[in-house]
């Protein structure tokens, strides 16, 4: 199956509708840090450049903010497409170009799974331990804690069972494919 067809199936989008107007990349807040940017990555998917796409750091750098999709004249939800590319990369065991980014993503999702919401201090601490990058950003983090911008203890969501059910349903969907 062609890469674009797999991405379409996983994302529910139609990658082939992109005619490369570049509006997505122009509006992307992280495009400057990407190797290709959303528009070029879409083109690579259309051309079937599987290995380059799945190894690209771009799929992990995407913030999922949906600024790209909001600008797309063909209403392609590029953030959903990036999610599909991450799923394919994980399924195929592709080692990401920036290993700390998927680690961050995994930690973020696990914290939400267990608390029902994000807790920045847990994410920051666990990410530093997992990546062994223990001292970078510590002064900035301490300032945020001292100013009360980051709570010390996580606040548990009342709907944690519902959040857990969402995770279970998502995992079942991924495992079926």
């Amino acid at each position: 199956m062609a890469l674009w067809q797999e991405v379409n199936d996983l994302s529910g989008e139609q990658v082939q509708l992109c005619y490369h107007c570049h509006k997505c990349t122009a509006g992307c807040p992280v495009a400057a840090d990407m190797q290709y940017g959303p528009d070029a990555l879409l083109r690579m998917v259309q051309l079937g450049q599987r290995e380059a796409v799945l190894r690209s750091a771009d799929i992990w750098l995407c913030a999922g903010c949906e600024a790209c999709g909001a600008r797309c004249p063909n209403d392609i939800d590029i953030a959903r497409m990036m999610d599909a590319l991450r799923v394919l990369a994980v399924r195929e065991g592709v080692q990401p170009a920036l290993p700390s980014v998927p680690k961050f993503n995994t930690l973020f999702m696990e914290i939400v799974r267990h608390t029902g919401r994000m807790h920045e201090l847990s994410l920051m601490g666990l990410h530093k331990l997992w990546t062994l990058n223990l001292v970078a950003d510590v002064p900035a983090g301490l300032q945020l804690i001292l100013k009360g911008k980051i709570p010390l203890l996580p606040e548990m969501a009342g709907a944690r069972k519902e959040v857990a059910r969402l995770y279970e349903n998502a995992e079942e969907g991924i495992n079926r494919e």
Side-chain angles (χ1 to χ4, degrees), residues 70-144:
R71 292 172 155 271
C72 180
N74 286 329
D75 295 322
I76 301 169
D77 188 336
I78 299 164
R80 287 182 72 178
M81 183 204 73
M82 294 290 202
D83 285 339
L85 291 170
R86 286 190 289 269
V87 167
L88 286 174
V90 169
R91 271 189 198 162
E92 295 179 19
V94 174
Q95 293 300 313
L98 299 171
S100 65
V101 176
K103 286 180 179 181
F104 185 89
N105 182 290
T106 298
L107 289 171
F108 181 97
M109 297 305 286
E110 285 304 312
I111 290 167
V112 172
R113 176 194 297 255
H114 294 291
T115 65
R117 60 184 60 199
M118 175 41 48
H119 181 243
E120 292 84 356
L121 186 58
S122 296
L123 179 63
M124 189 170 38
L126 290 170
H127 190 260
K128 292 202 164 296
L129 287 172
W130 196 0
T131 60
L132 297 176
N133 184 5
L134 302 174
V135 294
D137 306 322
V138 168
L142 286 174
Q143 286 297 318
L144 290 170

Side-chain angles (χ1 to χ4, degrees), residues 38-55:
D39 170 60
L41 208 61
L42 274 165
R43 184 69 179 140
M44 293 166 69
V45 168
Q46 291 172 334
L47 294 172
Q49 297 176 348
R50 178 183 219 88
E51 187 171 332
V53 170
L54 297 184
R55 290 192 184 285

Side-chain angles (χ1 to χ4, degrees), residues 150-165:
I150 298 178
L152 293 177
L153 298 174
E155 183 180 331
M156 301 296 205
R160 284 192 357 243
K161 288 182 182 177
E162 289 82 358
V163 171
R165 194 167 41 252

